[in-house]
């Protein structure tokens, strides 16, 4: 499907650093359409619904993290992807509850892929300049996060697949909170 919706969260560090407006502007500038937006201070249940311990996700996180460790010739202390997944999940829920977040649904052709590209790599240190993480969080790294036994503070979440986008949108928005309206650019799609 070409026309897609994706879920974006401006995590507590983005709100804390007063970056919400700047980040939202980037999505507006792209031509994609914001169809839902609100500020939420979530609880444990909502945080866990957003980051359930899904085996595929844990494998993916494990691979990314291991690659970064290998590059530095550092040994990972985690037994396997489930061990790492559980730790990251608990750090993530603590982080999401730290302060209010801004949740958005962004709609447009290929919006899932485009938004992920604008967001940049998971580890901000690897995120290239011009991406949101690369511009505003680049001093953040796996090693800094690990030393403090905390999650990567990387400002933003964006859905990575259509299946996850559909699930995640439901965690944060009721159907009636998502709006349909026309923009000029729509006539080209
Ligand atoms: P993504 O946000 O780029 O999609 P995921 O792999 O889905 O990245 O991981 C979710 C979040 O978990 C990341 O945004 C980051 O905040 C955190 N995270 C992932 N891997 C690690 C890690 O190895 N150490 C600390 N935090 C991590
Ligand atoms: Mg993800």
């Amino acid at each position: 499907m070409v026309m897609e919706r994706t879920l974006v969260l401006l995590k507590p560090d983005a709100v804390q650093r007063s970056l919400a407006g700047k980040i939202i502007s980037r999505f507006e500038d792209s031509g994609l359409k914001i169809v839902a937006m609100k500020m939420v201070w979530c609880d444990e249940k909502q945080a866990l619904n957003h980051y359930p311990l899904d085996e595929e996700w844990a494998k993916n996180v494990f691979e990314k993290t291991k690659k970064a460790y290998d590059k530095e010739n550092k040994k990972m202390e985690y037994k396997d992807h489930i061990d790492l997944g559980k730790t990251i999940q608990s750090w993530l829920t603590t982080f999401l509850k730290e302060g209010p977040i801004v949740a958005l649904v962004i709609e447009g052709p290929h919006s899932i892929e485009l938004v992920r590209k604008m967001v940049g790599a998971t580890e901000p240190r690897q995120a290239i300049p011009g991406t949101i993480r690369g511009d505003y969080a680049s001093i953040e790294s796996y090693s800094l996060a690990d030393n403090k036994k905390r999650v990567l503070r990387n400002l933003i979440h964006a859905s990575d697949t259509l299946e996850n986008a559909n699930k995640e949108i439901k965690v944060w928005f009721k159907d009636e909170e998502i709006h349909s309206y026309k923009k000029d650019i729509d006539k080209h799609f």
Side-chain angles (χ1 to χ4, degrees):
M1 200 231 265
V2 173
M3 205 50 138
E4 295 168 353
R5 283 179 174 171
T6 186
L7 189 271
V8 167
L9 300 179
L10 309 185
K11 294 175 179 175
D13 51 340
V15 174
Q16 176 60 228
R17 291 182 50 202
S18 306
L19 291 170
K22 283 199 181 87
I23 296 173
I24 292 167
S25 281
R26 291 184 174 219
F27 297 123
E28 291 191 309
D29 289 347
S30 75
L32 292 170
K33 194 191 289 180
I34 297 169
V35 292
M37 177 161 67
K38 65 179 166 189
M39 189 175 249
V40 193
W41 199 325
C42 75
D43 59 12
E44 179 82 12
K45 191 167 162 244
Q46 195 168 17
L48 283 173
N49 280 342
H50 179 76
Y51 283 121
L53 192 54
D54 170 75
E55 182 139 21
E56 270 311 299
W57 173 76
K59 274 187 189 156
N60 189 9
V61 174
F62 187 84
E63 285 310 314
K64 275 195 278 187
T65 307
K66 189 168 181 311
K67 227 183 237 170
Y69 269 73
D70 286 351
K71 223 160 89 185
E72 292 185 35
N73 283 322
K74 271 172 66 183
K75 200 176 159 329
M76 271 212 320
E77 283 171 27
Y78 303 100
K79 278 203 307 271
D80 53 25
H81 61 285
I82 295 293
D83 186 24
L84 173 89
K86 278 188 185 153
T87 306
I88 303 292
Q89 185 197 40
S90 94
W91 289 347
L92 271 169
T93 50
T94 304
F95 177 41
L96 275 196
K97 292 185 300 182
E98 191 179 285
I101 61 161
V102 177
L104 304 105
V105 178
I106 298 181
E107 185 183 88
H110 318 292
S111 63
I112 296 170
E113 180 189 329
L114 289 177
V115 168
R116 291 282 296 187
K117 212 184 316 183
M118 291 169 73
V119 164
T122 302
E123 183 188 26
R125 177 186 179 180
Q126 293 182 53
I128 56 172
T131 62
I132 292 163
R133 287 169 173 165
D135 283 351
Y136 299 125
S138 55
I139 58 173
E140 173 67 318
S141 66
Y142 282 116
S143 38
L144 287 173
D146 259 20
N147 283 346
K148 292 272 189 180
K149 302 270 172 242
R150 60 163 178 78
V151 83
L152 281 171
R153 298 175 71 88
N154 58 7
L155 300 173
I156 184 161
H157 165 85
S159 310
D160 56 354
T161 61
L162 189 60
E163 190 191 346
N164 285 339
N166 292 337
K167 276 193 220 155
E168 291 167 4
I169 289 170
K170 285 196 177 69
V171 173
W172 300 94
F173 292 96
K174 299 187 192 115
D175 284 351
E176 62 267 28
E177 291 175 315
I178 305 173
H179 302 283
S180 278
Y181 62 97
K182 290 274 170 228
K183 286 186 19 173
D184 256 13
I185 195 170
D186 291 339
K187 62 178 179 266
H188 302 296
F189 308 143

